[in-house]
Amino acid sequence: MYVDLHVHLRGTISRATAQKLARRNGIGALDDLLAAPDYGWTNFKSFLHAYDRVASVVTTAADIEEVAYDYLRTAAADGTGYLEFMLSTPHENRSGPAYADQIAAIDAAADRALEETGIECRIIATAVRHLGQTAALEAARIAIATRSSRLVGFGLTGDEKPYELALFQEAFAIARAEGLKTTAHAGEHLGADTIIEAIEVLGLDRVGHGVSAASSPNVMRQLAAMGTPLEVCISSNLQLGVFADLASHPVGLLAGAGCVITLGTDDPAFFGTSLSHEYALARKSSPDLLTPSRISMSAVEAAFCDEKTKSGLRARLGMMR
Ligand SMILES: [Zn+2]
């Protein structure tokens, strides 16, 4: 059983679903994107552009439900037993249904998928770093006001560069005070020290990516000592050019240094990947340390769900306690 701790809902929209929703919502001029495998992007700029255009096909809560259900079915068929969807809170440039309605739509999809396949799903509400401090505070308030037992986490995505981490401390404090667990993208494009800074300033339970830690033995030592899990997304890193190839990807090095490794698909529809493929890449990178059962055991402990759900997942992994 696989566990995905880093996947953006809008990064899971398959071409078939995108096509269907575009037609239903009368959104034209997507034919070039839909004709190309993985939406045909070639660099980070065209990736972001393709991402926004594909996301634009989702306009109603019913669309969100369809996207979530479609991906949960796909993931379950691939062997995933648990995943956490990241969903950004509404922001100025994006119109659409109220956040509570979006979460209710995911809940409905998750109920159906759970009954049909046994896959468990939770939700992480995310703020967008490059939208700044006020937007992040608003995101935290929206997250804590949204009533769903599946909404268990608060996160920070977006461009690591323009805004310093201290600006987001209050938003994270608000989320933590209401019992939400926390994660933030850090150490994907910026250096190793920013990972420790993010953990300390934001009080993180996990780190999104965190792979730049490999450039600093000192940071790897600190991460291993703290036991803060990393959500490593190998295909995402390779396709966005963070590392040139699997041989130079540091997931094995990080595991060897004692860092807690979990895996994620990030934006699977854009990277042409699946979680089983990510597990296979990790194993190839470090056959002894990164076995599927070891990765899943770490991921279950690092998951943001309640203890009862974790017990069920442990049982599914054959590790009753
Ligand atoms: Zn991500």
Side-chain angles (χ1 to χ4, degrees):
M1 182 193 74
Y2 307 132
V3 176
D4 193 340
L5 296 186
H6 191 114
V7 55
H8 301 268
L9 182 72
R10 289 190 168 82
T12 70
I13 305 173
S14 68
R15 280 156 77 198
T17 304
Q19 209 147 21
K20 190 169 151 193
L21 297 185
R23 214 172 289 136
R24 186 159 87 196
N25 295 325
I27 296 162
L30 279 179
D31 292 352
D32 56 321
L33 275 188
L34 296 173
D38 309 333
Y39 299 120
W41 58 277
T42 52
N43 56 34
F44 193 55
K45 202 174 160 207
S46 66
F47 165 74
L48 291 178
H49 187 59
Y51 198 87
D52 277 347
R53 286 179 68 203
V54 172
S56 76
V57 303
V58 177
T59 61
T60 67
D63 297 343
I64 299 252
E65 182 176 340
E66 198 155 336
V67 168
Y69 179 71
D70 179 43
Y71 189 67
L72 287 167
R73 293 285 310 220
T74 302
D78 185 52
T80 299
Y82 176 92
L83 65 79
E84 291 175 1
F85 277 132
M86 279 181 274
L87 183 70
S88 61
T89 58
H91 45 80
E92 356 170 16
N93 300 323
R94 193 177 275 153
S95 58
Y99 200 62
D101 295 338
Q102 296 188 41
I103 298 299
I106 298 177
D107 262 330
D111 284 342
R112 275 161 67 205
L114 175 64
E115 198 178 312
E116 290 166 9
T117 70
I119 191 169
E120 285 280 1
C121 150
R122 295 293 182 273
I123 303 159
I124 300 170
T126 58
V128 181
R129 185 161 170 176
H130 54 260
L131 296 180
Q133 185 178 26
T134 310
L137 279 170
E138 180 62 16
R141 290 192 187 106
I142 290 172
I144 62 170
T146 305
R147 300 211 169 274
S148 162
S149 57
R150 281 198 179 86
L151 202 168
V152 291
F154 182 68
L156 186 65
T157 67
D159 194 340
E160 287 179 57
K161 290 179 197 117
Y163 291 93
E164 55 183 293
L165 284 160
L167 294 173
F168 305 98
Q169 200 163 28
E170 194 183 342
F172 274 74
I174 289 170
R176 275 202 317 273
E178 292 295 321
L180 296 180
K181 303 274 192 183
T182 57
T183 180
H185 285 50
E188 180 186 11
H189 301 290
L190 293 189
D193 290 340
T194 62
I195 300 167
I196 302 299
E197 187 194 351
I199 293 169
E200 287 173 349
V201 171
L202 305 179
L204 300 183
D205 296 295
R206 296 196 313 242
V207 173
H209 295 289
V211 281
S212 72
S215 65
S216 164
N218 187 34
V219 168
M220 285 196 286
R221 245 191 319 272
Q222 288 183 72
L223 277 174
M226 289 188 285
T228 309
L230 305 180
E231 306 155 6
V232 178
C233 307
I234 301 173
S235 290
S236 164
N237 292 158
L238 299 183
Q239 294 204 31
L240 291 176
V242 180
F243 301 99
D245 50 32
L246 186 61
S248 49
H249 192 282
V251 68
L253 183 68
L254 292 162
C259 299
V260 179
I261 304 296
T262 73
L263 297 177
T265 50
D266 211 2
D267 301 297
F270 292 81
F271 301 136
T273 192
S274 62
L275 195 56
S276 63
H277 183 60
E278 298 304 304
Y279 270 67
L281 292 176
R283 186 167 212 172
K284 208 166 165 189
S285 199
S286 178
D288 297 332
L289 294 176
L290 294 174
T291 61
S293 65
R294 196 159 166 170
I295 295 167
S296 287
M297 281 187 225
S298 298
V300 168
E301 300 316 313
F304 288 169
C305 60
D306 57 83
E307 200 44 46
K308 190 172 165 237
T309 309
K310 286 190 185 192
S311 300
L313 295 170
R314 286 186 199 113
R316 285 181 70 179
L317 281 174
M319 38 185 291
M320 304 286 288
R321 12 173 142 156

